[in-house]
Amino acid sequence: MGPGVAGRGHVVFAAVAVLTMGAVPPSPAASSPGPGPGTVVGTLRPVAPPPGNAGPLGRGTAVQGRLLAAADGVETARASRPVAPGVRLTSYDRLESGKRLRLDMLSVDLGAGAARADHLSSGRVSERRKVSDLASRHDPGPGRRTVAAVNADFFDIRETGAPQGPGIKEGQLVNSPAAGANQAVGIGPGTAGRLLRLFFEGSVTLPGGPRALDAYNAANVPPGGIGAYTAGWGTADRALTVDRATPVAEAAVRGGRVVSVTERPGSGAIADGTTVLVGREAGAAELAALRPGDPVTLEYRTRTDSGTLPRTAVGGRELLVVDGEAQVHEGRGNNTAAPRTAVGFSRDGSMMQLMTVDGRQAASAGATLTKLGLLMKEAGAYNALNLDGGGSSTLVALAPGSDRLRVENSPSDGRERAVPNGIALTAPDGSGRLKGFWVEPRMRADTAPAVGPLRGGRPERVFPGLSRRLTAAGHDETYGPANGAPHWRTVRPTVGRVDSHGVFTARSTGTTEVRAERGSVGGGTHLTVLHPLVGIQATTRRVVLANAMASGTFGIVGLDAHSASAPVEPQDVSLEYDRSLFSVTDDGQGSFTVKSLTGSGAGRITARTRGVSTTLDVSVGLRERPAAGFGDATSWTLVALREARLGYGHPRRTHVYRTRPVLLYP
């Protein structure tokens, strides 16, 4: 029991220190008009989640009841766009019983022949990189480009970094699976995909005769076995593959002859043309008996549980959908709500679904395996497999008219995790001739300023008198980049107008399409002009900069009298602050970046637009300041308060307070 914890009727008090962080006094109420407590905006409440499926279950319906509960929920938002011919990205939000989910899914038409799925890696089994890096470096083949990718196999995260399941690239074995990790997803040798099990079989012939070869560039050598490692393994320490077993031995073979034998597996790169044999226990004894010059030959192959060997394969783990039936994982391992990645196929294997579910975030709690199976079945999968999830879950894709892959989901680590492999999607190069424009707000919906626990705002909305910056990316027939300057126009000028730079200025409430055109080609997006602005809020009430090198961000969100919200463009906001203390600049994505100029101090930023304002505090540096020593402990009262919910998904607990209110200032 630590200090400050009460137990067995005794109360222990400890001195309290407050990190004041250069704090400023609480902000006074804004003098400009805004939504007050008595207005519609002031009484805005979060939407409560729908009730769970609590209907009575008859005898023999326990499994059905669990599936119904897992399937409970409503879709609250959806966006879809093309990535390449035969590849489409759909992103959507769901409101479940007691939680929210954010999903991204690539639908891939393998049967049409344009889109193709490849094994994705750096070319070194044990080398880990971010999915975006792997995809940007992937060789798609002549006349093709990489258009999207997801992470794939579970891997030896704490030691070698190598995948646990099998890997096949262009029909050639990349690595063998760990014991029991045979489940895989395969594509080809034609265009169709399927789920299957892959097995490794091999033999090594030593001077004393043949014996089993148990692993090939694998994360682990099984007990008593021998594994083969080539230049394709990478630089990971091969001593990690034997699980601290003794004895161990390593023999290097080149040109069919032993060139060296050591008592400990080595590390570092293996030369091209050299195969290193690593043995443990009985396998180590056989390798230790070798001498330089001894002949050694290897033979190995990969076989499937059914059908021909696929052109491409990566490992996975739990089956989510089998022959059209979502699988129930209740009571089994790995079934907690978590970030997920999954792959599925239609009944004939011609359509592939690649899905990520965000998790461990306010905007998305994550999915259980049972839930993931239901989502994959709903998405059209007749068979589906769980891939590595958690912080590994990553989906990247091109936007129309762009040649830069971008992360579409929200990795739970706050950034991409380095992984050993994935699934890459490629498509044919286009002509480069302009065939259309992809028009959208400069702000991405998933990162636009918003108030509340959910990620992303509503940049397709704007207030009268304010603006929205739009972009128009020219694309060819494959949605690849194409040059061409657009001419802008609005379909309903009474709702708003757009200038030659794509800046839309709203005039009156309504909806209009804004189009970018050049000759006979064009594209457009719809914008909704809300009711007049009555108040604004900052996305945070305080920006805290730890030191002079740190930076912080905030955005401005507006509200109308009906509580409808929309992000406000930085160009429409005037800022008042002490310019000798810090700088505030437009970050180019719809928000502001704050940087310290002095390395310490505190101040306040006032943001104004259209006659309304809001404030936020900025502090730089951390300073510890004692607030109370509890010397007068007898005058303090220990009170346990019940949980008070300030908003959906934001519980706050207060454990100790003083009966006399105290307001602290620096």
Side-chain angles (χ1 to χ4, degrees):
M1 184 166 60
V5 179
R8 296 188 180 180
H10 295 85
V11 179
V12 180
F13 293 94
V16 175
V18 176
L19 293 179
T20 61
M21 298 177 289
V24 297
S27 305
S31 58
S32 57
T39 67
V40 175
V41 173
T43 57
L44 177 64
R45 295 291 183 270
V47 177
N53 190 324
L57 297 176
R59 180 176 297 179
T61 62
V63 170
Q64 180 185 6
R66 288 195 295 269
L67 288 175
L68 287 172
D72 190 21
V74 294
E75 192 172 297
T76 59
R78 175 180 286 257
S80 182
R81 62 172 171 81
V83 175
V87 183
R88 192 167 192 87
L89 173 67
T90 302
S91 302
Y92 55 104
D93 297 329
R94 291 176 64 96
L95 187 61
E96 304 284 337
S97 296
K99 65 180 181 181
R100 302 173 189 266
L101 288 181
R102 165 79 181 189
L103 304 93
D104 295 278
M105 186 182 72
L106 291 163
S107 300
V108 188
D109 186 353
L110 297 172
R116 171 175 160 146
D118 290 348
H119 181 281
L120 178 65
S121 74
S122 70
R124 299 290 183 263
V125 171
S126 64
E127 185 174 73
R128 296 166 54 192
R129 291 182 182 172
K130 296 184 293 185
V131 173
S132 57
D133 289 343
L134 292 174
S136 64
R137 298 166 185 255
H138 178 64
D139 180 6
R144 301 183 68 83
R145 61 194 180 106
T146 303
V147 299
V150 299
N151 68 291
D153 202 358
F154 294 81
F155 60 97
D156 186 15
I157 191 170
R158 291 182 176 84
E159 294 194 335
T160 65
Q164 294 180 347
I168 295 177
K169 180 176 183 178
E170 299 299 332
Q172 300 298 312
L173 180 66
V174 175
N175 62 279
S176 64
N182 306 100
Q183 196 66 57
V185 50
I187 297 95
T191 59
R194 70 189 195 273
L195 305 187
L196 71 165
R197 290 170 63 82
L198 289 170
F199 302 89
F200 175 77
E201 296 176 344
S203 66
V204 53
T205 301
L206 306 174
R211 64 101 66 207
L213 179 66
D214 303 287
Y216 180 85
N217 284 338
N220 298 93
V221 177
I226 293 177
Y229 294 84
T230 68
W233 166 250
T235 60
D237 190 347
R238 296 183 293 279
L240 298 174
T241 67
V242 295
D243 302 321
R244 301 174 181 82
T246 56
V248 294
E250 180 175 283
V253 178
R254 187 176 182 87
R257 298 282 176 175
V258 175
V259 295
S260 65
V261 180
T262 61
E263 295 180 351
R264 185 190 183 282
S267 61
I270 299 172
D272 289 337
T274 297
T275 298
V276 172
L277 300 177
V278 176
R280 53 181 290 185
E281 293 103 7
E286 294 183 68
L287 295 183
L290 295 174
R291 296 292 180 267
D294 284 347
V296 174
T297 58
L298 283 75
E299 293 182 355
Y300 57 85
R301 73 183 185 105
T302 306
R303 66 174 178 85
T304 72
D305 57 348
S306 62
T308 56
L309 197 68
R311 172 184 57 83
T312 294
V314 292
R317 190 171 288 176
E318 296 89 354
L319 294 169
L320 302 172
V321 183
V322 177
D323 295 338
E325 296 296 327
Q327 302 298 290
V328 178
H329 290 267
E330 306 307 308
R332 305 179 189 177
N334 194 29
N335 195 43
T336 57
R340 300 288 184 182
T341 303
V343 57
F345 298 98
S346 60
R347 186 167 189 169
D348 63 359
S350 64
M351 290 296 300
M352 178 168 66
Q353 301 85 24
L354 294 168
M355 178 184 289
T356 58
V357 181
D358 292 344
R360 300 171 186 162
Q361 303 168 50
S364 187
T368 64
L369 291 176
T370 301
K371 178 65 181 180
L372 187 60
L374 289 164
L375 292 170
M376 289 298 290
K377 179 181 178 180
E378 183 181 279
Y382 189 75
N383 290 288
L385 182 67
N386 181 47
L387 301 177
D388 189 18
S392 300
S393 287
T394 308
L395 186 153
V396 302
L398 294 177
S402 173
D403 56 4
R404 184 178 64 85
L405 290 158
R406 68 187 192 188
V407 179
E408 298 293 343
N409 72 319
S410 179
S412 63
D413 290 348
R415 60 187 181 279
E416 287 186 77
R417 174 184 288 176
V419 297
N421 66 11
I423 299 173
L425 301 179
T426 70
D429 286 333
S431 64
R433 293 189 294 270
L434 185 66
K435 296 295 182 181
F437 289 100
W438 185 256
V439 182
E440 60 184 350
R442 180 187 66 161
M443 298 183 192
R444 287 184 56 176
D446 58 346
T447 57
V451 176
L454 299 185
R455 178 172 64 100
R458 300 294 298 272
E460 77 282 4
R461 295 174 173 178
V462 62
F463 294 98
L466 298 185
S467 65
R468 181 67 69 229
R469 287 184 175 272
L470 303 175
T471 61
H475 62 79
D476 63 15
E477 70 281 2
T478 68
Y479 302 101
N483 293 326
H487 301 287
W488 293 89
R489 70 179 180 90
T490 54
V491 175
R492 297 180 62 196
T494 57
V495 175
R497 294 185 179 275
V498 62
D499 66 16
S500 60
H501 301 290
V503 179
F504 174 83
T505 301
R507 303 181 69 182
S508 60
T509 301
T511 298
T512 184
E513 183 183 10
V514 182
R515 293 191 56 79
E517 299 171 336
R518 185 177 181 86
S520 61
V521 302
T525 190
H526 286 83
L527 296 179
T528 297
V529 179
L530 301 175
H531 290 278
L533 184 72
V534 298
I536 58 174
Q537 300 179 30
T539 54
T540 180
R541 298 185 64 181
R542 180 186 296 275
V543 175
V544 179
L545 306 178
N547 51 52
M549 303 301 295
S551 63
T553 62
F554 71 92
I556 300 297
V557 179
L559 296 163
D560 68 10
H562 300 281
S563 303
S565 66
V568 179
E569 291 278 356
Q571 69 178 22
D572 292 334
V573 179
S574 64
L575 300 176
E576 300 170 10
Y577 59 94
D578 188 340
R579 285 169 167 75
S580 67
L581 292 178
F582 38 80
S583 66
V584 184
T585 56
D586 182 344
D587 70 356
Q589 301 177 30
S591 295
F592 294 97
T593 298
V594 184
K595 293 184 178 180
S596 171
L597 299 178
T598 61
S600 63
R604 178 171 294 138
I605 298 173
T606 299
R608 303 182 189 276
T609 185
R610 304 291 294 180
V612 295
S613 67
T614 189
T615 61
L616 65 149
D617 299 325
V618 179
S619 58
V620 184
L622 302 178
R623 180 162 55 94
E624 188 174 281
R625 179 175 179 177
F630 287 95
D632 57 344
T634 57
S635 66
W636 288 69
T637 303
L638 177 66
V639 179
L641 296 182
R642 292 185 177 182
E643 182 177 66
R645 288 190 178 271
L646 304 184
Y648 175 64
H650 284 273
R652 179 176 294 176
R653 292 183 182 273
T654 304
H655 299 289
V656 181
Y657 75 96
R658 196 172 185 178
T659 54
R660 299 191 303 272
V662 177
L663 187 61
L664 299 177
Y665 292 91

